[in-house]
Amino acid sequence: MAIARLIACFVLYSSIRHIPSSLGVILRTTDKIVWANEFEPIELTCLIESISTNNPRIEWKKIKNGVPSYVYFQNRIAGDLEHRAQLREPANILIFNTSRSDTAEYRCEVAAIDDQRDFDEILISLAVRVKPVVPRCSVPVAVTVGTTSELRCLENEGFPAPQYRWFHNNEELPQDPKSSPKFVNSSYTINPDTGGLKFRRVRKEDAGEYYCQAKNDAGHAQCPAQMMEVYDVDILGIFLKSCAALVVFICVTAWICLAYKHGCFASKDHTENNYKLPAQDDGVDYGDADEGHFRHKSSFII
Ligand SMILES: *[C@@H]1O[C@H](CO)[C@@H](O)[C@H](O)[C@H]1NC(C)=O
Ligand SMILES: *[C@@H]1O[C@H](CO)[C@@H](O)[C@H](O)[C@H]1NC(C)=O
């Protein structure tokens, strides 16, 4: 029994040992999909499982957008990785300081002329994570109670695309306001993918300082806090309406004055009136300055 198992083991062992070398060169990698953080080192592994040739030819190609280029050729680091990488035993490539432009596919190719199977290659995809930069945030300065309001946050550098979080007076807004007793009465929704924070009906309690944070696996960044005021009444609306009313009042007054003057001079002298009218529109008709209603008109225009 024990002898039979021993023989079985020996047969298995020798088959594992012998089949590869009879097939020739075989490559293997520890990771076919590799994530690295920008500005950190990363090693792409190209392990030689079996080979008989003493001096195999090793090459690495970078394939970006379907276009291949050499990064290791004729025993030298070349192209995009020149001075930024080195080859490590057996055929690994070590990038000292990855950059976002290193995101690509890399192919390790080994040619072993003395082997029966004299070529193998392995494809590794490298993705370089990029830390988000400070996002651009837009927070309305003043809103009215009961109206809708939207705060926006956008960051374009981070890779993978960051997720957004919003903070109100330095406290994170929960994704769902109903989940927190503090925000249970707030009507906001947050879209963590687009960075939008929307209030359906702004409340007095929603006033305060807001900032947004963009975060991915490489890191996070946030914009400076900005104040959002909430008013009970539409102050801007009232101001605009007052302005409009004032303009209407001025126009009507001017029109009445003009009509009155027109009537006045028409009864006295036709030619004098026609001659003077354009000058009066500029409010510099000093000839009539002693007439009370004209002084009134001029002061309005000035
Ligand atoms: C990596 O490269 C960046 C610029 O490309 C440089 O600022 C940084 O200091 C480098 N880091 C290391 C560890 O060499
Ligand atoms: C939310 O509204 C309810 C009912 O109007 C009120 O009783 C409660 O105090 C409010 N909660 C907060 C945190 O404002």
Side-chain angles (χ1 to χ4, degrees), residues 38-41 84 96-99:
E38 194 175 35
F39 308 130
E40 284 177 16
R84 295 206 297 121
F96 306 133
N97 184 356
T98 54
S99 92

Side-chain angles (χ1 to χ4, degrees), residues 181-185 203 205:
K182 188 155 183 202
F183 298 103
V184 69
N185 293 338
R203 301 172 314 145
E205 294 81 2

Side-chain angles (χ1 to χ4, degrees), residues 59-135:
E59 286 176 0
W60 277 88
K61 288 190 186 115
K62 173 181 180 176
I63 303 134
K64 185 135 192 171
N65 304 322
V67 182
S69 62
Y70 277 110
V71 288
Y72 185 77
F73 181 63
Q74 291 179 342
N75 302 321
R76 292 185 56 233
I77 297 283
D80 285 349
L81 290 183
E82 206 169 358
H83 311 304
R84 295 206 297 121
Q86 77 177 60
L87 197 83
R88 304 236 293 195
E89 288 288 324
N92 296 354
I93 212 156
L94 170 68
I95 305 175
F96 306 133
N97 184 356
T98 54
S99 92
R100 59 194 72 186
S101 65
D102 295 335
T103 293
E105 299 210 292
Y106 291 84
R107 194 164 64 215
C108 172
E109 302 174 353
V110 174
I113 44 165
D114 297 337
D115 283 65
Q116 194 185 339
R117 181 192 168 188
D118 61 3
F119 183 81
D120 197 15
E121 60 182 32
I122 204 157
L123 194 65
I124 299 169
S125 123
L126 172 66
V128 178
R129 294 187 197 96
V130 179
K131 229 175 118 160
V133 295
V134 172

Side-chain angles (χ1 to χ4, degrees), residues 170-198:
N170 288 320
E171 193 173 334
E172 186 179 354
L173 291 174
Q175 186 74 46
D176 177 14
K178 301 277 173 286
S179 69
S180 143
K182 188 155 183 202
F183 298 103
V184 69
N185 293 338
S186 194
S187 66
Y188 70 78
T189 50
I190 293 179
N191 187 331
D193 299 323
T194 62
L197 165 62
K198 260 189 196 161

